Amino acid sequence: MIHTVWQTIAVAFSMFSRIPMPRVAWNGRTLRYSLCAFPLVGAAVGAVCAGWGLFCAAFLPENGLLAAAGLALLPVAVTGGIHLDGLADTADALASHAPREKKLAILKDPHMGAFGALALCCVLLWNFALCTALPLESRPLLQYALGFVLSRALSGLAVAGFPCAKGSGLAHTFAAAADKTRVRCALAVVAMLCSAALVAVHPLCGALQAAGAWGMFLFYHHLSKREFGGITGDLAGWFLQLCESVEGTCLVLSWQLLGI
């Protein structure tokens, strides 16, 4: 049992992070609950970012831009940028205003278009700007870290609960192999507990951050069904990146206006 749990976690980390993991075979047993381990990847990302923020607050208090650069780019370093690829591909597909079949073909194209590059620049610049305004204190940094857990819980919940746009690809692989009922229940509980934790850290700021994440989740369901007929691995990456940007926006603005 413990060996199976470890293999399940290793599959999630090897796919969605650059953290070294032992080689594990992808099969029905290891993929069945691998989505449940996705929030653990977010916990690792959040721990690294929070640690960096506390380090900068203690030893580099006059280097706010350096602290902000780390907070914005460490998630890319830990994950290898896999979700940014989905953001770029989805931006190209949405900007094409083409029929659904053409949009899905654009998602499969390995080349990045102008709108994909523009989306990457805008999201990274916006995240960096947000991090320059994030207070390097324990509570906002904890909320920043929890945001990575919540976004991945919601992303996994979508893979297990939303329809897939096609019968192949990464999202379909995880969705088809998952014990969907148990995975949905587990991830819904994680997402609600994470939302409650945000509120516990700071009632107003946490509630706004959680509301932003859940609002993005609902928009993801609406847009993916309308534009693509369901979700894909690229759309999952697009959602994750924008969800974290929305969370960060709600967090920073609320702390600036309400956190004192």
Side-chain angles (χ1 to χ4, degrees), residues 44-61 63-75 78 128 131-132 134-137 141-142 144-145 148:
V45 175
V48 170
C49 289
W52 171 254
L54 292 174
F55 172 83
C56 290
F59 300 104
L60 302 170
N63 290 276
L65 292 181
L66 181 62
L71 290 173
L73 295 178
L74 280 172
V78 176
F128 171 72
C131 290
T132 63
L134 180 68
L136 298 181
E137 302 170 6
L141 285 173
L142 177 56
Y144 186 71
F148 295 104

Side-chain angles (χ1 to χ4, degrees), residues 150-212:
L150 178 56
S151 64
R152 282 160 177 77
L154 293 176
S155 181
L157 183 60
V159 172
F162 294 177
C164 289
K166 53 185 182 179
S168 61
L170 186 62
H172 179 266
T173 297
F174 278 87
D179 184 338
K180 291 186 179 181
T181 300
R182 293 182 179 180
V183 168
R184 284 197 296 262
C185 290
L187 290 174
V189 169
V190 171
M192 288 187 287
L193 287 175
C194 194
S195 299
L198 288 171
V199 174
V201 174
H202 192 293
L204 289 174
C205 298
L208 289 172
Q209 184 180 354

Side-chain angles (χ1 to χ4, degrees), residues 16-96:
F16 299 112
S17 81
R18 289 293 186 182
I19 299 174
M21 286 285 148
R23 186 178 298 275
V24 175
W26 284 32
N27 52 46
R29 182 168 55 86
T30 58
L31 290 175
R32 185 172 300 161
Y33 299 111
S34 57
L35 287 172
C36 294
F38 195 20
L40 294 177
V41 179
V45 175
V48 170
C49 289
W52 171 254
L54 292 174
F55 172 83
C56 290
F59 300 104
L60 302 170
E62 303 301 323
N63 290 276
L65 292 181
L66 181 62
L71 290 173
L73 295 178
L74 280 172
V76 181
V78 176
T79 63
I82 182 174
H83 310 298
L84 288 172
D85 176 69
L87 171 70
D89 288 343
T90 303
D92 282 330
L94 290 173
S96 71

